[in-house]
Amino acid sequence: MMTGFEQYTRKTRRAIFLEEMEQVVPWRELCALVEPHYPKPGNGRPPMGVERILRIYFLQQWFNLSDPGVEEALYDSAVMRQFVGIDLGCEPAPDETTVCKFPALAGRTPTGGTDSGAGKSTLASAGGANHDGHDRGRDHPTRPHFDQEPGAAA
């Protein structure tokens, strides 16, 4: 448990990776792409900011996290909270129900049909999809550990 008074720290691979993604992902352009299709405030729960939900979506892709898994990771990892822009002193992490609605939106067009891959290819070109990830669970038998070479036994 971290108290803020740690004397010995070092930057983790996850922190380095997220710092790099902060620099290379074109956040403003991606937000502009999603904004016209993103729900507007009205009845019901107010929608989360576009950039914040995009960042959460990318965390899910990069680190192979489910909807409940990303909620848990945001509570567990200060580096991930910082990347998304969540301060637990002021607000909770979004719950899995909020998170689960975004991926369906990512593949839609203004007409309501599916986007033959253009939206997903834009996300993929920015590193948002099909990334191998850096934080694989050690309990999954079919995936190599993040510190193993491809093809090595788990």
Side-chain angles (χ1 to χ4, degrees), residues 37-124:
H37 312 290
Y38 196 66
K40 306 295 182 248
N43 294 337
R45 186 186 298 193
M48 183 183 312
V50 174
E51 185 170 342
R52 183 171 282 184
I53 195 71
L54 269 172
R55 287 173 178 269
I56 291 171
Y57 178 73
F58 276 48
L59 286 177
Q60 284 185 286
Q61 302 306 308
W62 291 331
F63 298 108
N64 196 23
L65 298 168
S66 64
D67 295 337
V70 77
E71 178 186 3
E72 181 81 15
L74 287 169
Y75 278 109
D76 194 42
S77 172
V79 172
M80 286 186 173
R81 281 194 307 275
Q82 181 181 4
F83 178 77
V84 173
I86 294 174
D87 178 0
L88 292 178
C90 301
E91 62 187 325
D95 63 359
E96 64 182 274
T97 305
T98 303
V99 173
C100 78
K101 295 179 181 180
F102 181 73
L105 175 67
R108 286 196 194 139
T109 62
T111 60
T114 57
D115 178 11
S116 59
K120 289 188 180 185
S121 67
T122 302
L123 293 177

